[in-house]
Amino acid sequence: MSPLRDSAVATAPGPPSAPAAFEPAPPAPSGPAAGSLGQPPTGKPRQGRIKCVVWDLDNTLWNGTLLEGDQVTLRPGVLAQIRRLDRMGVLHSVASRNDPRAALAKLDELGVADLFLCPQANWNAKSDSIRHIAKTLNLGLDAFAFVDDQPFELAEVAHMLPEVTCVDVTDVDEALARPEFVPRFVTDESARRREMYQGQLVRDELAREFVGTDDEFLAGLEMVFTIAPARQVDLQRAEELTVRTNQLNATGRTYSYDELDELRQDPEHLLLVASLTDRFGSYGKIGLALVDRRDPALWRLRMLLMSCRVMSRGVGMVLLNHVMRLAADAGAALHADFVETDRNRMMRITYAFSGFTEVSRDGQRIVLAADLANLQEPSPHVRLEILP
């Protein structure tokens, strides 16, 4: 059985600092983006918020009820919506109260199994299946939508998981056209997102089966981490990262394409993009950093984020350590903005492991200072490439 499917069967029965003002971000350079260096977390746009749609099977993905012996047939309109969203980078999965082997076999027979990540067919509550999918994909529940034909199932999920957007299949065409299902930009990486997640699931399965230490497993991945100044061609993906990344995001601010383009061209700012590959393929562009260098003696790291897809790869500190080395080489101190949320604790831990300490706080807004006298050596599991 494919490692991407095992989970569907396995879940079937027989989860002190001194107060000080937050250092304000400097005014944006003059021009179309002037007046704002991104929106705070509460201002994150609705557009493109949904990252994964979870589908029921009987009388939703297909017509008929599988276990009643019906010759089920795919609903062409539903399949068209799935393929359309897939091309835009929206992921899909399944939560069905069904016999797992029969349901997965039917998806294979109908030629659509590859469209769904870690499908869940079992007799559990559908809210439990969605929780399992969210944990496996490492996505927040507010990034999910659930489509079903049964009011009871929709009500159960809405009650147990109020963060999830619930959609009656009779309203699916109208609902899936709403802004939260439509990314602002569709990049090459968006169109390959499902493929990259499938690769990640294979890596995770291999990690579970690997006999040896974590270090040995990571070394065997042959990872290459590349850091480069952002180019114009990178900006659509960069904006997408600021909108989609929550867990490994230091401030939660979002940046528009125009803001990022201005900052990219401003010599007093440094906008860096990070990408990662290993022997299984590319993870794509997975990291972003924005450094304010207007004070030559004190650089400020205004934004640092990493895609949650690389959380388990031991590369979370690579981009941060690179910025620290750049500051040390320039003879500048380095402060970092951080805004505490209920989602980004792992990023705070990343700063702590890199030697940052809190120097001021204003509510959830914190300023961290780097210890540039004790820089860490690069990870032995990752080959670092720095592009000019």
Side-chain angles (χ1 to χ4, degrees):
M1 181 172 290
S2 164
L4 305 186
R5 311 286 182 78
D6 286 348
S7 58
V9 177
T11 56
S17 62
F22 184 77
E23 295 182 12
S30 61
S36 172
L37 277 183
Q39 301 300 319
T42 55
K44 278 210 168 189
R46 287 167 51 87
Q47 183 163 356
R49 176 175 59 82
I50 300 299
K51 301 177 184 179
C52 182
V53 182
V54 179
W55 298 83
D56 174 44
L57 295 179
D58 293 335
N59 297 306
T60 299
L61 177 65
W62 55 53
N63 292 308
T65 302
L66 184 64
L67 291 185
E68 292 181 0
D70 294 347
Q71 294 299 312
V72 299
T73 57
L74 290 171
R75 292 185 166 186
V78 168
L79 183 59
Q81 289 282 10
I82 291 172
R83 293 193 184 281
R84 178 183 66 84
L85 292 175
D86 178 71
R87 289 192 294 270
M88 295 193 296
V90 178
L91 306 173
H92 298 276
S93 189
V94 165
S96 175
R97 289 168 61 85
N98 233 312
D99 176 83
R101 298 187 187 279
L104 296 181
K106 183 58 68 172
L107 288 171
D108 269 329
E109 178 186 325
L110 294 171
V112 295
D114 196 49
L115 289 171
F116 302 101
L117 300 175
C118 53
Q120 298 299 293
N122 51 54
W123 302 111
N124 301 333
K126 293 190 178 180
S127 59
D128 290 340
S129 291
I130 294 171
R131 283 193 189 97
H132 179 85
I133 296 164
K135 182 178 180 181
T136 302
L137 299 182
N138 200 20
L139 294 173
L141 287 167
D142 59 347
F144 281 82
F146 171 58
V147 183
D148 204 301
D149 67 306
Q150 294 293 319
F152 171 83
E153 303 289 3
L154 292 166
E156 189 270 334
V157 170
H159 175 72
M160 298 301 296
L161 305 175
E163 309 96 320
V164 173
T165 299
C166 292
V167 177
D168 191 300
V169 72
T170 59
D171 303 321
V172 73
D173 289 338
E174 179 182 355
L176 269 55
R178 296 201 304 253
E180 54 262 46
F181 290 88
V182 183
R184 180 177 176 187
F185 291 118
V186 178
T187 67
D188 289 344
E189 287 193 18
S190 299
R192 294 191 298 112
R193 181 163 290 115
R194 170 167 53 91
E195 173 189 335
M196 289 190 287
Y197 268 87
Q198 287 169 332
Q200 182 64 40
L201 292 173
V202 171
R203 294 179 186 99
D204 290 344
E205 181 69 17
L206 290 174
R208 286 190 291 270
E209 297 177 350
F210 183 77
V211 178
T213 67
D214 289 344
D215 286 348
E216 289 170 338
F217 175 76
L218 292 174
L221 290 178
E222 301 173 7
M223 291 182 286
V224 179
F225 193 101
T226 303
I227 302 174
R231 304 164 299 164
Q232 189 169 22
V233 71
D234 299 322
L235 296 183
Q236 290 186 355
R237 172 58 177 161
E239 182 191 39
E240 184 182 42
L241 278 169
T242 74
V243 172
R244 293 176 62 94
T245 305
N246 295 295
Q247 298 180 64
L248 292 178
N249 190 331
T251 64
R253 292 189 179 100
T254 62
Y255 291 78
S256 71
Y257 180 99
D258 289 337
E259 287 176 314
L260 292 169
D261 195 29
E262 241 183 305
L263 291 163
R264 175 184 69 86
Q265 299 178 75
D266 179 9
E268 293 184 319
H269 288 84
L270 178 63
L271 183 63
L272 297 172
V273 175
S275 57
L276 182 68
T277 62
D278 67 15
R279 64 188 178 93
F280 294 102
S282 175
Y283 295 77
K285 297 179 182 68
I286 46 81
L288 203 61
L290 174 63
V291 185
D292 172 7
R293 303 181 294 185
R294 287 198 277 187
D295 182 348
L298 178 59
W299 289 11
R300 292 182 170 86
L301 184 54
R302 297 298 186 184
M303 170 179 60
L304 180 71
L305 59 86
M306 297 286 290
S307 170
C308 60
R309 288 186 288 112
V310 300
M311 186 179 291
S312 62
R313 293 294 164 255
V315 298
M317 294 191 293
V318 176
L319 180 57
L320 178 57
N321 288 344
H322 176 66
V323 173
M324 293 171 68
R325 289 181 183 279
L326 290 178
D329 290 345
L334 179 64
H335 283 184
D337 293 349
F338 190 88
V339 179
E340 286 183 332
T341 73
D342 59 353
R343 304 281 293 278
N344 67 356
R345 182 172 177 272
M346 285 300 300
M347 183 58 87
R348 180 64 190 272
I349 292 172
T350 297
Y351 274 111
F353 281 167
S354 297
F356 281 75
T357 56
E358 184 176 317
V359 293
S360 67
R361 174 187 285 267
D362 181 7
Q364 293 178 310
R365 296 172 175 265
I366 303 169
V367 176
L368 304 171
D371 179 5
L372 300 182
N374 295 290
L375 296 177
Q376 300 182 21
E377 291 299 317
S379 169
H381 314 309
V382 183
R383 178 162 61 87
L384 181 61
E385 289 188 347
I386 308 298
L387 302 183

